[in-house]
Amino acid sequence: MIKQTIKDDSVALLKEGKTEESVMLRNVLAEMNNVEIERKHELTDAEAVAVLHKLVKKLEDAVIMFEEGGRDDLAEENKLEIAALSKYLPAEMSDEELEKNVRTALEKLDPSIEGGRRIGAVVRELASLEGAEPSRISKMVQKIIA
């Protein structure tokens, strides 16, 4: 499980004297624990990946804001955190493979479904795919439909 791997890595980093990295992973674990409490069950790997994606997205947004504000030091710090968290995420699906999956999902849909509902239906169907972010799926659907 991803959560257990993060716990183990946090302990190992602490033993190596890398407290900053360990604290970062402990913060990730705290976020996962909060989601578990909210959902009232232990997170599956897919849910843990979703939490990681959410945290990475927040960090990416923060990098943009820090760079716009001239705080390159804080932007660089967030980039390092993104890199550290990315190793726990599944590999990104190639554009070709994503397009193939989206086309297959579009073919299965009822032709009467149009516009945003069509995009939403495809995103929901492909949400379980590893390495396919909902935003990428949505953009691919829009590209194919257009």
Side-chain angles (χ1 to χ4, degrees):
M1 263 182 86
I2 293 173
K3 188 175 175 189
Q4 187 61 46
T5 303
I6 293 172
K7 279 181 187 178
D8 295 343
D9 289 353
S10 175
V11 171
L13 287 168
L14 197 56
K15 288 179 181 178
E16 293 173 15
K18 298 179 180 178
T19 55
E20 288 182 27
E21 292 93 337
S22 178
V23 167
M24 187 232 358
L25 291 181
R26 287 188 184 277
N27 289 335
V28 170
L29 290 170
E31 183 66 28
M32 288 181 178
N33 286 335
N34 289 339
V35 173
E36 282 181 343
I37 291 167
E38 182 182 305
R39 296 185 183 175
K40 297 180 178 147
H41 67 82
E42 193 172 320
L43 293 180
T44 63
D45 274 348
E47 291 169 326
V49 166
V51 170
L52 287 171
H53 278 297
K54 181 179 169 186
L55 292 172
V56 167
K57 177 70 174 138
K58 281 183 186 178
L59 290 168
E60 289 170 344
D61 292 343
V63 166
I64 293 168
M65 291 178 11
F66 286 138
E67 287 175 343
E68 288 173 356
R71 293 297 309 263
D72 293 333
D73 56 328
L74 294 175
E76 198 57 40
E77 191 176 303
N78 282 346
K79 287 178 184 177
L80 291 173
E81 281 191 47
I82 291 169
L85 292 180
S86 293
K87 75 176 191 178
Y88 298 104
L89 294 172
E92 287 262 326
M93 182 182 294
S94 71
D95 286 341
E96 295 80 24
E97 189 176 348
L98 180 62
E99 182 175 355
K100 185 181 105 186
N101 285 315
V102 167
R103 287 187 186 280
T104 303
L106 283 170
E107 289 170 5
K108 291 180 189 175
L109 281 181
D110 183 354
S112 66
I113 298 175
E114 294 182 5
R117 292 181 59 215
R118 192 172 186 85
I119 294 169
V122 172
V123 169
R124 278 189 299 279
E125 183 171 332
L126 300 180
S128 63
L129 287 178
E130 296 239 343
E133 280 292 299
S135 60
R136 282 186 66 213
I137 296 170
S138 176
K139 287 176 187 172
M140 185 63 71
V141 172
Q142 291 170 358
K143 176 183 163 189
I144 291 171
I145 290 175

